[in-house]
Amino acid sequence: MRLVKIITALLLLSIILTGMTACVDNRYSINAVCDEQQGTTKGSGKYKPGESVEITAVAKEGYVFDRWSDNDTSAKKTIIVEKDITYTALFKRLYVISVICDETKGTVTGGGMFTEGTQIQISVTPKNENSLYQWNDGVDELSRTVTVTEDFTYIAEFVDITDFIFEKETGTVKGYLKDVSKVIIPKYIYDIKVNEIADWAFYNKQSLSIIRIPDSVTRIGARALSVTSLITIDIPNSVVKLGDSAFSDNPNLVSINIPSSVTEMGVYMFYGNSSMTTAILPTMITELGRETFSKCSSLTDINIPSAVKKIGDYVFYECSSLSMVTLPEGLESIGYGAFSYCTSLTSITIPSSVNEIRPDSFAGTELQTIYVTKGSYADTWCIKNNFSNRVVYLEP
């Protein structure tokens, strides 16, 4: 009898345990989440193994759905439940790009609503006697690709080209009809790229104090910007050649930076620029031509590029404020009267590479010390020209 009771108790226990097991929840958790500032999701919950479940991502205003964390790009996707899993919906910010201009002067294309990082094309077509000066972010291309990073309005700004004398066949600015204080040369005139500023193009424009040269120009011709009121000139890196006297006789010109792109400079380049205090020369030129800085009476110092082999005749003639000159190793020739009447020049170092010093190279100077290498051509020249008492030998 006791055995029967034990068996009965075990059966009851078995039934209870089976019921408890049946009550265990064997469903899996599916979570669809996102940044709630950017969007919302649907479909999260607990589901049975093998069940088909749909989850959805909805972008809020100003955003667009990009992908789920498993790289699925479908905003609405169906999954088969196999385990606990979380899907994160990722959104991208939408930005508004506007492209505008004065519609009496041109037309524009491009613009709209785009996701961050998208590359889009915008363009402008000028009308009548107008050319693109630049976009409001400083770019001067008629058609361009921009990368979307924020809400932005691109505004095409124009310049009147009525007064330009322009040769379409060569892309050359031949002249300008008016004598005004400011001239903006656009990169394109009649949709043709400006390649050159011709000889004498702005000669004797005595009111001209500001000029903008586009980075499409490769040559500035002889006397092109001579006899003006320019104070400084910004020469773009596209320029490779400067004609004779291109910037001469500009009494107000204080400084100039010739880019390293320039490989050829004509003679009399800065002749008579009496206010010029500094000049940065291009690194690739091999010669300073005749009277490059002649009568630049305010020029105080000059660093001659290392590629220069020859300093021509009268290059620094009457540069009365010039007190410091650095002659490069590798220099071979110093021309006739090259430093004559540089009355503030009291010392100079002549490299051992120099093998020619023409007569009167230092006439009218106040040279007190000439640094040379013992036994060099410069040493011999100093002895022959009665400068031996001013020679200081360089350390070997």
XYZ file of all heavy atoms in Angstrom, residues 6 21 23 40 55 89 119 126-127 161 187 208 237 245 270-271 282 332 342 346 352-353 362 384:
189
model
N 3.611 5.887 -3.033
C 4.858 6.491 -3.575
C 4.757 6.677 -5.088
O 5.118 7.728 -5.648
C 6.070 5.614 -3.214
C 6.311 5.660 -1.699
C 7.318 6.087 -3.961
C 7.367 4.674 -1.208
N 6.927 22.907 -17.477
C 7.743 23.011 -18.702
C 6.936 23.607 -19.831
O 7.413 24.406 -20.633
C 8.279 21.623 -19.101
O 9.026 21.086 -18.024
C 9.146 21.705 -20.339
N 4.710 25.702 -19.571
C 4.493 27.141 -19.348
C 5.719 27.985 -19.679
O 5.654 29.212 -19.671
C 4.093 27.386 -17.886
S 2.456 26.708 -17.495
N 11.815 56.437 -36.800
C 11.108 55.486 -35.944
C 11.191 54.094 -36.560
O 11.484 53.952 -37.757
C 9.632 55.877 -35.776
O 9.002 55.889 -37.070
C 9.499 57.241 -35.127
N 9.867 44.018 -40.086
C 10.281 45.215 -39.347
C 10.412 46.374 -40.340
O 10.739 46.182 -41.514
C 11.601 44.996 -38.577
C 12.746 44.647 -39.531
C 11.438 43.939 -37.498
C 14.103 44.603 -38.831
N 18.332 50.643 -37.273
C 18.081 51.401 -38.500
C 18.974 52.640 -38.528
O 19.026 53.394 -37.559
C 16.614 51.817 -38.570
N 27.818 63.652 -54.339
C 28.469 64.578 -55.264
C 27.479 64.951 -56.357
O 26.875 64.079 -56.988
C 29.717 63.949 -55.874
C 30.859 63.792 -54.880
C 32.148 63.384 -55.536
O 32.159 62.573 -56.460
N 33.255 63.946 -55.088
N 26.298 82.069 -68.733
C 26.102 83.524 -68.771
C 25.307 83.952 -70.003
O 25.299 83.275 -71.036
C 27.534 84.071 -68.825
C 28.390 82.961 -68.304
C 27.716 81.707 -68.786
N 24.651 85.122 -69.894
C 23.903 85.704 -71.001
C 24.570 87.005 -71.456
O 25.209 87.704 -70.681
C 22.472 86.039 -70.561
C 21.576 84.861 -70.236
C 20.201 85.379 -69.806
C 19.248 84.258 -69.430
N 17.938 84.786 -68.962
N 31.680 92.078 -69.478
C 32.867 91.934 -70.338
C 32.830 92.878 -71.540
O 33.625 92.744 -72.472
C 33.000 90.478 -70.836
C 31.730 90.006 -71.548
C 33.328 89.550 -69.672
C 31.846 88.633 -72.171
N 37.595 84.016 -65.837
C 38.295 82.846 -66.368
C 37.803 82.507 -67.774
O 38.555 81.958 -68.585
C 38.095 81.666 -65.421
C 39.010 80.486 -65.687
C 38.911 79.489 -64.546
C 39.985 78.432 -64.626
N 39.999 77.556 -63.425
N 44.312 102.222 -62.640
C 44.190 100.823 -62.265
C 44.998 100.516 -60.997
O 46.232 100.576 -61.006
C 44.663 99.920 -63.408
C 44.531 98.412 -63.195
C 43.079 98.012 -63.005
C 45.139 97.654 -64.385
N 49.377 80.589 -60.093
C 50.373 79.542 -60.335
C 50.332 78.974 -61.752
O 51.174 78.158 -62.110
C 50.187 78.405 -59.331
C 50.603 78.803 -57.940
O 51.542 79.569 -57.769
N 49.912 78.301 -56.939
N 59.395 93.935 -69.269
C 58.774 95.100 -68.615
C 57.320 94.873 -68.229
O 56.539 95.821 -68.147
C 58.862 96.334 -69.531
O 60.192 96.660 -69.848
N 60.896 94.897 -63.347
C 60.358 95.787 -62.315
C 61.003 97.182 -62.384
O 60.993 97.917 -61.400
C 60.586 95.176 -60.930
C 60.124 93.748 -60.824
C 61.045 92.715 -60.707
C 58.776 93.418 -60.859
C 60.635 91.398 -60.613
C 58.351 92.103 -60.774
C 59.284 91.090 -60.653
N 61.509 97.505 -63.513
C 62.234 98.767 -63.688
C 61.415 99.966 -63.185
O 60.240 100.133 -63.529
C 62.567 98.965 -65.166
C 63.258 100.272 -65.485
C 64.640 100.354 -65.542
C 62.523 101.440 -65.730
C 65.287 101.551 -65.827
C 63.159 102.643 -66.020
C 64.533 102.689 -66.064
O 65.165 103.895 -66.342
N 60.671 83.526 -58.665
C 60.385 82.105 -58.919
C 61.645 81.253 -58.793
O 62.742 81.687 -59.155
C 59.842 82.098 -60.346
C 60.389 83.339 -60.973
C 60.489 84.353 -59.884
N 77.242 82.006 -61.801
C 78.456 82.009 -62.614
C 78.859 83.391 -63.095
O 80.041 83.667 -63.273
C 78.257 81.083 -63.824
C 78.035 79.621 -63.441
C 77.684 78.753 -64.622
O 77.534 79.305 -65.748
O 77.540 77.529 -64.448
N 74.303 100.986 -55.601
C 73.527 100.452 -54.473
C 74.212 100.989 -53.214
O 75.054 100.317 -52.593
C 73.526 98.923 -54.478
S 72.615 98.198 -55.852
N 76.784 97.305 -48.046
C 78.095 97.414 -47.401
C 78.874 96.107 -47.391
O 80.085 96.115 -47.163
C 77.945 97.923 -45.959
O 77.108 97.021 -45.220
C 77.317 99.314 -45.941
N 82.128 80.821 -54.812
C 83.306 80.359 -55.551
C 82.960 79.916 -56.964
O 83.845 79.777 -57.816
C 83.971 79.201 -54.797
O 83.054 78.127 -54.629
N 81.658 79.691 -57.242
C 81.232 79.263 -58.570
C 81.286 80.391 -59.598
O 81.272 80.147 -60.812
C 79.805 78.716 -58.501
O 78.927 79.677 -57.926
N 80.195 96.814 -59.140
C 79.926 97.372 -57.814
C 80.307 98.852 -57.746
O 80.587 99.382 -56.665
C 80.688 96.573 -56.752
C 80.275 95.126 -56.698
C 81.012 94.163 -57.369
C 79.149 94.727 -55.995
C 80.644 92.827 -57.334
C 78.777 93.391 -55.958
C 79.515 92.440 -56.628
N 92.605 92.552 -58.611
C 92.798 93.342 -59.829
C 92.043 94.668 -59.782
O 92.438 95.629 -60.439
C 92.337 92.537 -61.044
C 93.260 91.389 -61.418
C 92.766 90.699 -62.679
C 93.696 89.572 -63.094
N 93.219 88.863 -64.312
